[in-house]
Amino acid sequence: MKFSGTMIELGCIRQFALVIGSLARLAKLCVLRITRTHLYFIINEPGTVHRAPGLWAELDQGHYFSTVTMSGVSEEHNEIFLEFEPDKLSGTLSVFKSNNAAVRNLKIKLAKKLSPCLTLEMQMPSFSEHARTVVHDVPVLPLPRRQWHLYQEPEMPHFTASIYLPPLKKLRHVVERMKNLSSSLTLAANRKGTLVLSVTSDAANVSTYFRNLTMPTWDLEGAASQMDEEQLHSATVEIKKLISFLAGEQIGPCKVICNIVDDRMVHLFLLHDDVILQYFLPAARSS
Amino acid sequence: MKCTIGTTNVKDFGRAIHALAKVGEELYIEPSQSGVSFRTISSSRSAYFSYNFGNSFFTFYDSGLGGQTPASGEDTFRCKVAMKAVLNIFKGIHNLERTVQRCKLTLKWEEAKLIIQLTCHYGIVKTHNLSFIECDALQAVYDKESCPNHMVSDSRVLLGALSSFHQQTLEEISFCFTPRNLILKSHVEEPDPSKVVHTVVTLTRGEFEDYNIMSNCELTVCLKEIRALLAFTGSTGISTKAYFSGPGSPIIFTYDSKPLYEGTLVLATLVQKPEVGTHPASKSCHEPRASTSIRKASMNNTLRASEISMMQNNLPNTTSGDKAADVTVQNITVALDNSRVEDIPHQQKDVVRGDTSHSEPIVPLLRNNNKAAQEEEEDSDTVPSSPPAKKSRFFFRRCFEATFNPDTLPGHNVILAEDSDEGD
């Protein structure tokens, strides 16, 4: 089992740090799957439908790393699964969150020290001609093959409504206000580009409407088109979880798709040039 | 004592108070002819932090000691106040800089009051009355001249290096000095070193203003105090000098902005563990209790180092002068008669010493140290006696077996010698 990759571009490193940072906000434990071409970050949430992960992030190695060497467990199963605490990894990368951070390169490799760990080697600029080296060892736990099946790519859910979300910043602002009113929020969308966020409390019923949003075209739908275009499809989710997702706006996604499976789950799809993040928010039982 | 700090210096004074507050819970104030010192010591007595503010730091200064420096230590006034109270007054350094025009400090001996008066904009005057307790002098015994190694560092270098250590729980950090590099390592002992992030930062000697290391050495110190120091030097932009000799003996950080003020931080370092160093595997079974005993031992070593410095006849730079230092040595031998002072006449036994007959800050510490030393001795006593116990287990192996039943032995009921009579 071998993995090592070097990042040189500051923009890439910073985005990588942001992705890890948003992982840290979502869960205590995370699984990193390394294949020949991609890195996947997977968060499994207990109790989701069909054992779908809470998060599925896909990073293209070619974009982030200038050089990568990787060899998996065996020829046949050329993959590595590592479990780690994103909080710890994010801490070591927090240097890059500030705007004036400078780094010459960042090398990530899998190493065996006191325990198996991901070693991050950074060459930082210093006051002398020699670079300052900073090495972080983040402990990881390689997962045995019998557990790999738990972290397979999730299937696209059979959603009833699909819509491009308005800018996340705006949405976040609204949702954060709604958080004060209730602990769960209902997302509803129809096929005419309307998105409704609503909360219900004893005293009030608050809804925010976004109209004329664009909708992605999916190949897989067909039969569903017969349905009434005006009809709203909704699912109720926990506000807290939705907010931790909306914090992902820092990654600066180009497009965010929201798929709603009636009363089952909300599937959020963040698309960026080289990162794809999928969030699966299970529907909470609305009271 | 009466002194006034001008508007430009209030910020530095406030920062000094903040730095001191991160180390100790009590602020010791000692005015002298040439200036005032503000000192503190950490609750575990592993760190001593002192600021000397010279005359010129103040726009007005009156020591209140009269003409000359008093000959005996008794005449000097020293007191301590609660750190928290002082810290609250100087909270919000940025506001302080903007609003405070001058700060007046007055020590009223008759009323046992420290009065801090802040004159702010718009004619607002804030007066704080703090009660103080008269106390003994707080003075660490150290000698930076005798340390073979030293380095001078821009505060930004060390601050930048320490910014790589993110762990919230990290308490200690190791400085590994080699002639070419300074390597900073996170020092983790418990509960499981394989579960935490380890960080290593390598700085080349070129990053330092001066770097003079005779031999490799690894010093482990508390991060908290270093951070307190760097918070001050980082904001004022002055460079820090470090003097040290080896593990177990203290590392001394000094910095100054002469003639305004100078700061000194004396930090105990961890004694290297002989067996643990050679067997990295045994590191994982290290218990927290062990680490505290090591820290105790390191304290002892701090003392030992200070004794050495005394023997070399290099008296420490005390503010009260050489004469006063002599007096303190004698006084301390009187004060500590009940603990084992006979062994070490005329020698300092502590990082901290008091110089009146009721040297309250020292005695408990000394006892602790003696206790720790005795415990160590006891431990070492038990080691040679353990093989016989093992031997008996070897020779009488059968008696220790689980299936052993004394009743099955032939002649178990024959009593060869009666039990001796009770009562007599």
Side-chain angles (χ1 to χ4, degrees):
Chain A
M1 243 185 344
K2 224 191 281 175
F3 172 72
S4 93
T6 312
M7 292 190 214
I8 295 177
E9 224 179 292
L10 186 60
C12 291
I13 297 175
R14 198 172 283 161
Q15 197 180 48
F16 185 76
L18 283 173
V19 171
I20 306 281
S22 56
L23 293 181
R25 262 190 296 266
L26 286 171
K28 287 236 173 316
L29 276 177
C30 178
V31 170
L32 167 63
R33 174 183 169 207
I34 305 166
T35 64
R36 288 208 78 82
T37 54
H38 284 81
L39 294 182
Y40 300 91
F41 292 102
I42 306 148
I43 294 172
N44 255 13
E45 236 172 279
T48 41
V49 195
H50 302 312
R51 243 207 209 119
L55 171 125
W56 177 268
E58 207 171 314
L59 281 76
D60 182 18
Q61 285 182 9
H63 171 73
Y64 288 95
F65 299 100
S66 59
T67 51
V68 185
T69 49
M70 184 263 169
S71 70
V73 181
S74 65
E75 284 281 311
E76 195 184 341
H77 306 278
N78 201 1
E79 292 185 15
I80 302 172
F81 281 76
L82 302 169
E83 192 177 63
F84 69 97
E85 289 174 45
D87 196 31
K88 287 177 179 166
L89 190 61
S90 148
T92 63
L93 293 166
S94 62
V95 197
F96 306 113
K97 281 181 190 150
S98 69
N99 284 325
N100 51 2
V103 68
R104 292 187 189 170
N105 66 54
L106 167 65
K107 193 174 171 189
I108 301 179
K109 65 179 182 197
L110 187 61
K112 171 99 185 145
K113 296 203 174 168
L114 268 175
S115 60
C117 49
L118 268 183
T119 298
L120 284 87
E121 258 179 62
M122 306 171 197
Q123 301 285 333
M124 313 285 267
S126 73
F127 293 93
S128 73
E129 70 268 37
H130 296 288
R132 180 186 295 172
T133 28
V134 179
V135 181
H136 298 287
D137 296 328
V138 182
V140 292
L141 182 74
L143 291 179
R145 274 213 22 230
R146 62 171 189 281
Q147 287 181 23
W148 286 13
H149 71 276
L150 295 173
Y151 305 98
Q152 289 310 312
E153 180 156 8
E155 283 172 28
M156 184 61 76
H158 298 289
F159 47 84
T160 45
S162 174
I163 199 163
Y164 281 119
L165 287 184
L168 286 191
K169 215 173 204 171
K170 233 182 234 171
L171 209 58
R172 189 179 175 184
H173 198 75
V174 172
V175 175
E176 270 176 359
R177 297 296 156 277
M178 290 182 159
K179 198 179 102 183
N180 300 328
L181 293 171
S182 171
S183 63
S184 58
L185 178 146
T186 307
L187 274 162
N190 65 11
R191 285 160 194 275
K192 290 199 109 181
T194 309
L195 175 77
V196 187
L197 306 178
S198 52
V199 288
T200 316
S201 74
D202 296 342
N205 216 329
V206 181
S207 301
T208 307
Y209 286 77
F210 295 87
R211 286 187 207 284
N212 300 325
L213 300 169
T214 47
M215 283 165 294
T217 43
W218 296 91
D219 306 335
L220 40 136
E221 57 187 336
S225 61
Q226 298 148 359
M227 280 204 273
D228 183 11
E229 289 198 334
E230 294 279 349
Q231 201 206 328
L232 285 168
H233 301 277
S234 66
T236 308
V237 294
E238 273 179 55
I239 288 201
K240 248 193 228 159
K241 283 187 179 163
L242 187 64
I243 283 185
S244 64
F245 153 74
L246 292 173
E249 52 133 329
Q250 290 162 325
I251 301 168
C254 307
K255 282 191 173 147
V256 187
I257 300 170
C258 171
N259 297 328
I260 297 174
V261 184
D262 255 333
D263 290 327
R264 295 285 293 279
M265 72 153 100
V266 174
H267 176 219
L268 295 148
F269 214 120
L270 257 89
L271 293 166
H272 191 269
D273 298 344
D274 311 282
V275 199
I276 298 170
L277 283 171
Q278 293 185 57
Y279 290 82
F280 296 84
L281 295 180
R285 192 141 296 281
S286 49
S287 48
Chain B
M1 184 204 76
K2 237 183 213 170
C3 62
T4 310
I5 305 167
T7 177
T8 46
N9 284 343
V10 163
K11 191 172 58 168
D12 280 351
F13 185 76
R15 282 191 179 130
I17 295 292
H18 276 256
L20 288 164
K22 278 182 197 143
V23 174
E25 278 155 17
E26 280 166 331
L27 181 66
Y28 292 74
I29 305 171
E30 189 178 328
S32 72
Q33 210 62 38
S34 55
V36 199
S37 9
F38 290 85
R39 292 166 187 167
T40 194
I41 185 163
S42 66
S43 55
S44 61
R45 294 181 180 267
S46 58
Y48 161 85
F49 204 172
S50 146
Y51 271 91
N52 291 334
F53 293 98
N55 274 337
S56 46
F57 184 80
F58 306 99
T59 49
F60 168 80
Y61 182 74
D62 173 22
S63 67
L65 299 174
Q68 282 173 339
T69 317
S72 84
E74 311 249 323
D75 287 17
T76 334
F77 290 109
R78 299 179 190 93
C79 62
K80 60 180 179 186
V81 289
M83 186 67 87
K84 236 184 213 164
V86 187
L87 183 66
N88 276 337
I89 298 169
F90 293 96
K91 231 179 199 174
I93 288 186
H94 295 288
N95 274 333
L96 218 62
E97 187 190 4
R98 265 184 277 133
T99 58
V100 177
Q101 286 171 329
R102 68 180 180 272
C103 166
K104 202 160 108 185
L105 278 82
T106 318
L107 279 175
K108 286 204 169 152
W109 299 106
E110 313 80 51
E111 298 164 37
K113 281 260 155 61
L114 166 66
I115 301 161
I116 301 179
Q117 203 169 56
L118 301 175
T119 311
C120 306
H121 284 309
Y122 311 117
I124 299 169
V125 180
K126 298 178 189 169
T127 311
H128 303 267
N129 285 299
L130 311 179
S131 302
F132 66 69
I133 305 169
E134 259 187 82
C135 66
D136 320 304
L138 181 76
Q139 173 68 56
V141 181
Y142 59 90
D143 177 25
K144 57 187 189 191
E145 302 307 324
S146 69
C147 292
N149 311 310
H150 73 269
M151 65 153 193
V152 182
S153 159
D154 192 301
S155 48
R156 282 174 302 165
V157 175
L158 284 179
L159 266 179
L162 284 189
S163 70
S164 298
F165 293 86
H166 305 287
Q167 278 178 270
Q168 311 286 291
T169 49
L170 186 68
E171 284 182 355
E172 281 144 348
I173 184 169
S174 297
F175 288 79
C176 306
F177 294 96
T178 67
R180 293 187 143 271
N181 294 322
L182 166 58
I183 301 162
L184 300 175
K185 283 193 251 177
S186 45
H187 182 90
V188 187
E189 279 180 354
E190 81 268 11
D192 189 356
S194 63
K195 285 274 188 300
V196 293
V197 179
H198 290 261
T199 304
V200 179
V201 180
T202 311
L203 305 165
T204 51
R205 62 174 296 169
E207 291 205 54
F208 300 98
E209 287 165 29
D210 188 13
Y211 189 78
N212 192 349
I213 307 299
M214 292 305 177
S215 56
N216 291 359
C217 66
E218 182 174 338
L219 305 177
T220 304
V221 293
C222 285
L223 196 53
K224 193 178 99 184
E225 281 88 10
I226 301 264
R227 287 229 158 106
L229 167 106
L230 288 176
F232 183 87
T233 56
S235 54
T236 50
I238 53 181
S239 36
T240 313
K241 304 175 188 74
Y243 301 86
F244 48 93
S245 33
S249 59
I251 179 165
I252 302 143
F253 293 96
T254 65
Y255 48 91
D256 54 54
S257 168
K258 276 197 172 133
L260 299 178
Y261 57 84
E262 51 180 352
T264 309
L265 172 66
V266 184
L267 266 185
T269 60
L270 221 64
V271 176
Q272 265 177 346
K273 303 139 276 180
E275 344 89 279
V276 176
T278 49
H279 306 292
S282 65
K283 216 175 177 179
S284 51
C285 58
H286 224 71
E287 281 165 30
R289 234 179 58 216
S291 79
T292 54
S293 74
I294 284 163
R295 203 155 300 141
K296 256 185 204 161
S298 87
M299 291 293 295
N300 271 345
N301 261 38
T302 327
L303 317 180
R304 224 165 287 145
S306 57
E307 285 161 29
I308 291 164
S309 69
M310 290 299 288
M311 280 188 271
Q312 286 171 344
N313 250 340
N314 288 324
L315 275 170
N317 307 335
T318 56
T319 44
S320 39
D322 289 0
K323 215 169 179 186
D326 273 348
V327 173
T328 60
V329 173
Q330 281 162 14
N331 275 341
I332 199 166
T333 48
V334 175
L336 306 174
D337 237 358
N338 50 353
S339 46
R340 308 189 315 183
V341 177
E342 296 84 28
D343 310 342
I344 36 132
H346 306 296
Q347 275 181 24
Q348 294 302 314
K349 240 318 224 177
D350 206 320
V351 164
V352 178
R353 72 168 186 245
D355 54 355
T356 53
S357 48
H358 37 262
S359 49
E360 170 246 313
I362 294 139
V363 179
L365 168 71
L366 244 177
R367 285 198 191 126
N368 270 344
N369 281 334
N370 283 342
K371 221 183 253 170
Q374 277 163 11
E375 274 165 20
E376 273 165 34
E377 277 165 29
E378 277 164 22
D379 281 352
S380 60
D381 280 345
T382 55
V383 174
S385 62
S386 53
K390 242 186 202 167
K391 248 183 217 165
S392 70
R393 274 187 176 267
F394 178 74
F395 285 122
F396 305 107
R397 200 168 29 202
R398 264 193 64 200
C399 306
F400 292 96
E401 276 168 14
T403 54
F404 176 70
N405 184 3
D407 292 348
T408 58
L409 289 179
H412 70 272
N413 44 8
V414 180
I415 293 165
L416 299 174
E418 293 282 339
D419 285 353
S420 55
D421 284 344
E422 285 174 8
D424 286 325

